[in-house]
Amino acid sequence: MKLRLIFFTTVALAFFSCTKNTVDPVTPIVTPPVALTASTVNNATYGADALQKYDYYLPANRTNTTTKVLIIIHGGGWVSGDKSEMTPFVDIIKQRLPDYAVFNVNYRLAALPNINPFPTQETDIKSVVDLIYSKRTEYNISDKFALLGASAGGHLALLQAYKNTIPKIKAVVDLYGPTDLVDMYNNPASSAVPASFIGFITTANPLGNPTNGAAAFTASSPVNFVTTQSAPTIIFQGGLDTLVRPFQSSSLHTKLGISGVTRQYVFYPTEGHAYLGVSLLDTFDKAVAFLTANVQ
């Protein structure tokens, strides 16, 4: 009886041991990640002021490693303008660079005698760029940032790119932006320039000049902040511009060249300020090519 019990016990153990070894392992169920859809949000806030808002356009299938970012800044002489004016630019960019996340930003506008004097506008651009950068995970975007600005927006884009290292701006698209405010004051393209473009820059005296407001003019001139580490820059300029004379663009191009910075200067001899038509389409074609080559 005892031998029989040992026999059956041995057989049972052998059976269950074989059964355990021959059972296929359970294959885990892997759920594929859900592809992100495109998203548009208007008037997101980055401050308490009504003008501290931005719109953003996130592409489908974006990721925080591959989705590049373009931030667009409107012009208006720092005293007027709105991000809505740049909506046609947004549409053109989205058509040509569909995988980019595009941000269209506002900033507080200056008014005489002493409302939002400079560097309020520069500070706002830094604030919104910093906020977007901090939300990379939320937006599923990468750290590959580029800037595009027109007129005063070009000036603000250049200041942001040249004066700040986080985030490191990969490229700047400058459409006829002022670059040397001392020269702009002393050699205006027209008699209207000093009051409309320069008057609010010095905090103590909004109608200051490079003599009594030298520090502010120097600190507000992108050409003074070019280094060998400056972001690649493409500059567009009309030869008949009556607000920003061509010297503003050509002098920046020269300074970038001296510093060995990747740059391109596109000059339209018969165009004025804020040109449209064929030249504007050519501008976007060249800007897209420049971004593609330099935002890596």
Side-chain angles (χ1 to χ4, degrees):
M1 182 68 179
K2 184 175 181 181
L3 289 175
R4 183 179 299 177
L5 179 61
I6 293 173
F7 172 77
F8 282 115
T9 301
T10 302
V11 171
L13 288 172
F15 174 78
F16 285 113
S17 176
C18 291
T19 303
K20 181 178 180 181
N21 291 335
T22 57
V23 171
D24 291 335
V26 176
T27 302
I29 299 174
V30 178
T31 303
V34 177
L36 295 171
T37 59
S39 175
T40 296
V41 173
N42 293 317
N43 294 318
T45 61
Y46 67 94
D49 192 274
L51 284 174
Q52 291 176 308
K53 297 185 185 301
Y54 63 101
D55 305 333
Y56 60 89
Y57 308 81
L58 305 178
N61 304 316
R62 59 194 177 275
T63 75
N64 57 16
T65 58
T66 62
T67 301
K68 300 170 185 178
V69 177
L70 181 64
I71 298 173
I72 297 177
I73 309 170
H74 72 81
W78 308 288
V79 297
S80 65
D82 184 81
K83 58 185 170 61
S84 61
E85 299 169 7
M86 304 301 282
T87 301
F89 284 40
V90 171
D91 294 339
I92 293 172
I93 289 294
K94 288 171 63 181
Q95 291 170 4
R96 286 166 166 76
L97 295 170
D99 295 330
Y100 265 69
V102 180
F103 293 78
N104 186 16
V105 305
N106 263 353
Y107 49 88
R108 286 172 288 176
L109 302 174
L112 299 179
N114 197 22
I115 298 172
N116 297 329
F118 221 78
T120 298
Q121 296 71 36
E122 178 186 352
T123 300
D124 275 2
I125 295 304
K126 184 179 187 308
S127 294
V128 70
V129 171
D130 287 349
L131 179 68
I132 295 167
Y133 186 74
S134 73
K135 288 179 172 260
R136 299 190 311 283
T137 300
E138 176 183 337
Y139 291 151
N140 282 283
I141 57 177
S142 75
D143 61 356
K144 299 168 184 176
F145 280 43
L147 304 174
L148 182 153
S151 193
H155 165 261
L156 295 171
L158 293 169
L159 284 179
Q160 172 66 30
Y162 296 168
K163 293 176 73 172
N164 301 282
T165 58
I166 299 175
K168 175 63 177 174
I169 300 302
K170 302 294 186 182
V172 186
V173 180
D174 165 35
L175 279 68
Y176 39 83
T179 68
D180 184 339
L181 299 189
V182 174
D183 175 80
M184 194 172 192
Y185 187 94
N186 291 329
N187 302 289
S190 72
S191 60
V193 170
S196 63
F197 267 46
I198 305 299
F200 66 91
I201 286 179
T202 52
T203 302
N205 178 6
L207 290 175
N209 58 55
T211 299
N212 62 25
F217 276 75
T218 298
S220 302
S221 296
V223 72
N224 294 329
F225 297 93
V226 172
T227 71
T228 58
Q229 302 302 310
S230 292
T233 304
I234 184 168
I235 305 164
F236 297 92
Q237 178 68 49
L240 303 180
D241 195 325
T242 59
L243 290 178
V244 179
R245 70 190 187 103
F247 175 81
Q248 292 286 315
S249 292
S250 63
S251 63
L252 175 61
H253 182 252
T254 298
K255 184 73 174 288
L256 291 166
I258 292 171
S259 298
V261 178
T262 298
R263 84 278 187 213
Q264 184 177 347
Y265 181 34
V266 183
F267 184 68
Y268 302 107
T270 61
E271 293 290 1
H273 197 73
Y275 53 81
L276 300 171
V278 173
S279 294
L280 183 59
L281 293 177
D282 180 72
T283 291
F284 277 103
D285 288 341
K286 288 181 168 62
V288 165
F290 191 84
L291 292 172
T292 300
N294 290 285
V295 183
Q296 302 295 335

